[in-house]
Amino acid sequence: MRRVGILTVSDRAAAGTYADESGPLAAAILGEQTAWRVERQAVIPDDLETIARTLRDWCEANLDLILTTGGTGFAPRDVTPEATRAVIERDAPGIAEALRAESLKVTRHAMLSRAVAGLRGGTLIINLPGNPKAVGENLAVLLPVLPHALDLLTGRPDSGQVHRDV
């Protein structure tokens, strides 16, 4: 079973003036799958240091996957990608590219996403949008490939997938 953290980044949700819908939706979607166990879930403000500290702490807790929601747009306080870049040790650009490509089929606004994905130790961190509908659409793209990605990250040879040279 894969250990997951879901981190919602939103000033309004952290202050209690706005209900977080994206984080609970991601948790519900993963909860429907037998391979995932959401072990950490939090709502924090759009603050670079707070985001980075939380991501580092969760990586040290040996989570396999951290999904962030929110803070990936053009607004001045949208700093989730910068915080993620400060934490990751290796980029995983294909993930963010695939999410944007699929999202562009739904809305042109997808090109405004600055979301990133990357690796820190044995943890894969992926930025998702804050919009609940977009979270669901992004997870539909991710879920089929995440088990294999995590098998590769952790060196598990039994992923059951045909490995192709990249």
Side-chain angles (χ1 to χ4, degrees):
M1 190 165 270
R2 303 295 186 159
R3 302 173 64 222
V4 182
I6 300 172
L7 183 63
T8 298
V9 179
S10 167
D11 286 334
R12 293 184 298 154
T17 60
Y18 176 83
D20 172 28
E21 296 177 14
S22 296
L25 175 63
I29 291 170
L30 290 173
E32 294 171 358
Q33 312 287 319
T34 58
W36 307 100
R37 182 175 65 232
V38 177
E39 291 195 357
R40 305 241 175 145
Q41 196 166 352
V43 179
I44 61 173
D46 293 274
D47 175 72
L48 193 136
E49 289 305 317
T50 302
I51 300 164
R53 182 177 53 252
T54 303
L55 291 174
R56 279 191 291 274
D57 290 347
W58 287 13
C59 288
E60 289 175 15
N62 296 316
L63 295 178
D64 299 299
L65 173 67
I66 299 172
L67 299 174
T68 70
T69 68
T72 61
F74 281 16
R77 289 196 45 86
D78 286 343
V79 295
T80 303
E82 287 76 16
T84 302
R85 281 190 196 98
V87 169
I88 61 174
E89 299 161 337
R90 296 186 293 156
D91 291 326
I95 293 173
E97 291 165 7
L99 295 178
R100 274 189 284 277
E102 285 299 312
S103 294
L104 275 168
K105 295 176 183 176
V106 177
T107 177
R108 291 182 182 173
H109 291 153
M111 71 179 75
L112 303 179
S113 170
R114 298 181 318 105
V116 299
L119 312 166
R120 180 180 177 99
T123 304
L124 173 59
I125 302 171
I126 303 172
N127 299 156
L128 299 177
N131 178 286
K133 182 176 181 286
V135 167
E137 292 164 356
N138 278 228
L139 285 175
V141 174
L142 284 170
L143 283 174
V145 299
L146 284 178
H148 183 58
L150 294 173
D151 283 346
L152 291 171
L153 177 60
T154 58
R156 291 184 185 139
D158 59 344
S159 71
Q161 297 287 327
V162 174
H163 297 280
R164 297 183 183 180
D165 292 332
V166 187

